Amino acid sequence: MWCYYFTFAISIVLAFVLGRKSVDHGVFRLKIDSPRQMAIVMFPIAFSFLFRWGVGVDANWYTGSYPQIYRELMRDPTLNYDAELVFSLITKTFCALRIPYFWWVFFLGAIYLYAIGKFIYVWSTNVPLSLFLFLVSDMYLVGFGALRQILAISFLLLGYCEIRENSHCVRKWKVVIYLLLATLSHTSGILGVFVFALAFVRIKFRNLIICMLGFTVASPITTVILRRVISLTVYGKKYADTIYSEGQSAETHIVLSFLILLVSILMHKLIMDENKQNVLWINTALAYYVLMLNSSALIQTFRIVYYFTPVVLILVPIITSVIRKVKTRLITVWAVVLVCTLMFVNSYHIGNGKLAFTPYRTVFSHPEFLYRS
């Protein structure tokens, strides 16, 4: 795992060196000035991500499910591939052109890292902190295997970027295209689109508090109702009584989402004063908390959560940026770092979570896969 930590450390240091610090009306920002500089910052992370080989789960050439499908389609690209339209189209195109498996994974990973990099560049008020959260929130390592889902998430992130970059004249058609591509990349992208749309509902401050308290009190009842509703769906019936429907309660995410939402409410005015568009992230924080509160009723909670994780990458840095006192800001930053690090350690260092990602290897150790499958 130290290879991953090392590349992130380099990128974070580069973000500090190339970043521009500013304090405007008491709001501290540490941003990158140009896309070119952001590309330099992302390069170490991108290298470790894009040139990996034989690590991860689903996309691992030796043990994963994706290479099995890819080999079959290489033999006959006309075979039926039971996957969403956009993902299937990309896969079949690569297979029809006889492009090696490595470059297919590289292509999908490049889209993801471009979307993440642009998302942090456009939205974050503290780029080094967002990069750190990109690792410990698990959005980095999940990209090693969940190829269809990270493609859907990529398009959603680009949709968020479009909203931020064109706040005065949003090109709605472009946002709609990104959302459509997300749903056609992975079925779960529908949830991401729902969260995206919900984020723009104007919730008054008083109603925000009522919603938080109301859903908390009602959670024992809503969990039962939600479990029943899901069990009646095709999706629910498919995974009934499997490991994907049992023990799905996400305690750590319940705590994290609660803390983020609580602090967002306490600092609501300061967050909104930083940028009126931050209502998007406060609403997402509420949706994140409500869904995690009912996580025991869900199926594959460990996958669903990634549609809410972007709020961690953006809202946490915003919260730390709007704190006026320097000492308080530093204490808050270190508290966030500590909590998220503990979550990451729990996932990858307590138990066997890290085994699929170690030892780290690059494709250059097996150069034959650069030109053949």
Side-chain angles (χ1 to χ4, degrees), residues 23-222:
V23 179
D24 183 26
H25 295 91
V27 179
F28 171 83
R29 295 183 179 88
L30 179 50
K31 296 181 68 69
I32 302 297
D33 280 335
S34 70
R36 182 179 179 180
Q37 289 181 328
M38 191 66 198
I40 294 172
V41 168
M42 290 292 294
F43 180 77
I45 295 173
F47 185 89
S48 66
F49 186 90
L50 297 176
F51 290 99
R52 69 190 187 276
W53 187 256
V55 288
V57 184
D58 295 342
N60 188 325
W61 174 259
Y62 306 101
T63 61
S65 56
Y66 282 116
Q68 296 175 27
I69 297 167
Y70 200 83
R71 284 192 287 265
E72 290 179 10
L73 289 172
M74 282 289 277
R75 286 191 290 269
D76 183 3
T78 63
L79 286 175
N80 181 45
Y81 180 26
D82 186 20
E84 291 78 5
L85 179 63
V86 171
F87 190 84
S88 177
L89 183 61
I90 292 173
T91 305
K92 287 194 170 187
T93 300
F94 269 69
C95 289
L97 295 174
R98 313 298 298 172
I99 298 174
Y101 174 77
F102 168 77
W103 293 111
W104 174 69
V105 176
F106 182 99
F107 176 76
L108 295 171
I111 294 175
Y112 183 55
L113 284 188
Y114 169 75
I116 286 285
K118 185 174 182 179
F119 180 64
I120 292 174
Y121 170 72
V122 168
W123 274 100
S124 179
T125 57
N126 188 325
V127 172
L129 182 56
S130 289
L131 290 174
F132 173 79
L133 293 170
F134 176 42
L135 172 65
V136 297
S137 68
D138 202 26
M139 286 198 75
Y140 171 71
L141 290 178
V142 73
F144 279 42
L147 302 185
R148 286 187 299 160
Q149 188 171 7
I150 67 165
L151 184 62
I153 292 172
S154 299
F155 291 126
L156 288 169
L157 294 179
L158 291 174
Y160 284 123
C161 291
E162 184 64 29
I163 295 295
R164 183 70 175 85
E165 285 186 311
N166 299 281
S167 57
H168 300 297
C169 182
V170 177
R171 289 173 288 192
K172 295 180 180 178
W173 62 269
K174 200 169 184 180
V175 175
V176 170
I177 289 176
Y178 282 136
L179 299 184
L180 184 61
L181 288 171
T183 58
L184 294 177
S185 297
H186 194 263
T187 305
S188 64
I190 296 173
L191 175 62
V193 172
F194 174 74
V195 174
F196 191 101
L198 185 65
F200 292 94
V201 176
R202 294 289 175 177
I203 303 176
K204 294 181 179 179
F205 178 69
R206 180 171 174 271
N207 292 336
L208 190 66
I209 298 173
I210 293 173
C211 285
M212 179 182 179
L213 294 175
F215 279 112
T216 301
V217 173
S219 60
I221 299 172
T222 56

Side-chain angles (χ1 to χ4, degrees), residues 317-334:
I318 289 173
I319 289 170
T320 59
S321 292
V322 299
I323 296 173
R324 303 299 170 90
K325 294 182 179 180
V326 177
K327 288 185 179 180
T328 306
R329 185 189 307 134
L330 290 174
I331 291 172
T332 304
V333 169
W334 281 109

